[in-house]
Amino acid sequence: MIRNQYLQQLWELLSPVPERLRREWMYDYEEHFRMAAEHGRSEAEAAHELGDPRLIAKELLLTYRVDQAENSRSGGSITLVSRAVLAAVSLGFFNLIFVLGPYVALLGVLVALWSAAIGVGVSSLMAVYEGMFGGGVTMTQGIFIAMVLLGAGMLLGAGTHWLTKAFMKMTLAYLKFNSRVIRVNKK
Amino acid sequence: MNVQFKKGVLDLCVLALTAWEDRYGYELAVSMSAKFEVAVGSVYPLLSRLTQEGYFSTYLRESSEGPPRKYYKLTPQGHTHLMELIREWRSFSIAVDEIIKEGVER
């Protein structure tokens, strides 16, 4: 009874994970109950040993999210990395402050850089417009300025793109090694 | 032992246990928990993570009693990773020993 309840709850908590992987993961816990019974321990003892299924599910979901973000074709899209970060946050207060905080702050910096790159690029249109219709610069000057601005925008964009990728990679590496929670046996 | 200490070496230890023979989850969970006083329940997610990272592969093998057991096998990549972790651990522990000798046991 306790066993079925425990496994059922864990199964439901792992619902974001594809069924194949979920079954593979569940096998460990099913086996644990089985082996515990073989060693003459009750279902209640086995469940107590395993601890709260919600904690196990959170750990596993973090693994799943990090793996998903790492192996996505886009190489760690912002959405997938953010999901992984949120999965880490669910593991504890420490991660809320020391993972989510810096993550959001740095995302803000990246957004600012992206908009600066786009802004500089778009301003080249203004230069062309000014060259054609305005009196400030001649057509040739206008086009020249536009090319410089466009080039600068593209450089800034490329730089920010690289920075974004590096940041996503770093975040995932950090999540892999430092956001884990190890539970200690309660005596 | 301090929890932060343990966190760093659990990967190393669980990989080390499988260096010469494949083991099933329960076996690993129980021996890890006995040595380090970590909850049995936090060993299984650790195994899943190491599998996901490509350091373990798993397979089912019939056992004499009951249904087949899920075994964890170290992959070549896992082996390389283990050797790297051992190297790191050695240099770390040598450094700490030296500091202790120098600072405390002189």
Side-chain angles (χ1 to χ4, degrees), chain A:
Chain A
M1 187 57 212
I2 293 170
R3 169 184 180 275
N4 290 345
Q5 234 172 11
Y6 191 98
L7 293 174
Q8 182 63 32
Q9 195 187 351
L10 187 57
W11 175 259
E12 277 158 22
L13 287 165
L14 291 175
S15 61
V17 181
E19 188 157 337
R20 226 181 77 96
L21 188 60
R22 208 171 3 152
R23 284 201 186 287
E24 201 197 305
W25 283 352
M26 288 298 293
Y27 203 92
D28 286 319
Y29 308 95
E30 289 158 12
E31 196 176 271
H32 183 84
F33 277 103
R34 228 168 25 234
M35 297 296 296
E38 271 175 36
H39 288 80
R41 282 206 288 277
S42 71
E43 288 187 358
E45 278 174 294
H48 180 75
E49 256 183 341
L50 285 176
D52 192 341
R54 278 171 302 183
L55 283 175
I56 292 183
K58 281 175 182 173
E59 286 268 325
L60 288 172
L61 282 176
L62 175 58
T63 297
Y64 172 65
R65 295 292 188 207
V66 169
D67 184 65
Q68 229 190 355
E70 270 193 328
N71 294 328
S72 70
R73 227 158 16 95
S74 48
S77 79
I78 296 182
T79 328
L80 291 177
V81 174
S82 301
R83 275 202 193 138
V85 168
L86 290 178
V89 166
S90 77
L91 275 171
F93 184 68
F94 178 87
N95 288 347
L96 179 68
I97 309 281
F98 292 96
V99 178
L100 189 63
Y103 180 74
V104 169
L106 286 166
L107 265 192
V109 171
L110 286 175
V111 167
L113 281 172
W114 275 116
S115 30
I118 292 167
V120 171
V122 167
S123 68
S124 66
L125 292 177
M126 310 284 204
V128 171
Y129 180 87
E130 181 68 20
M132 286 197 314
F133 306 110
V137 290
T138 66
M139 186 66 184
T140 332
Q141 282 172 327
I143 287 175
F144 180 75
I145 295 171
M147 274 160 50
V148 170
L149 285 173
L150 198 62
M154 280 163 76
L155 268 179
L156 195 56
T160 311
H161 179 70
W162 180 85
L163 211 62
T164 308
K165 278 195 127 163
F167 172 58
M168 292 304 152
K169 249 177 111 171
M170 235 178 56
T171 306
L172 287 177
Y174 182 84
L175 288 181
K176 268 166 90 169
F177 296 112
N178 289 311
S179 57
R180 299 281 154 187
V181 175
I182 296 296
R183 279 171 290 132
V184 178
N185 270 342
K186 287 178 209 89
K187 283 280 142 96

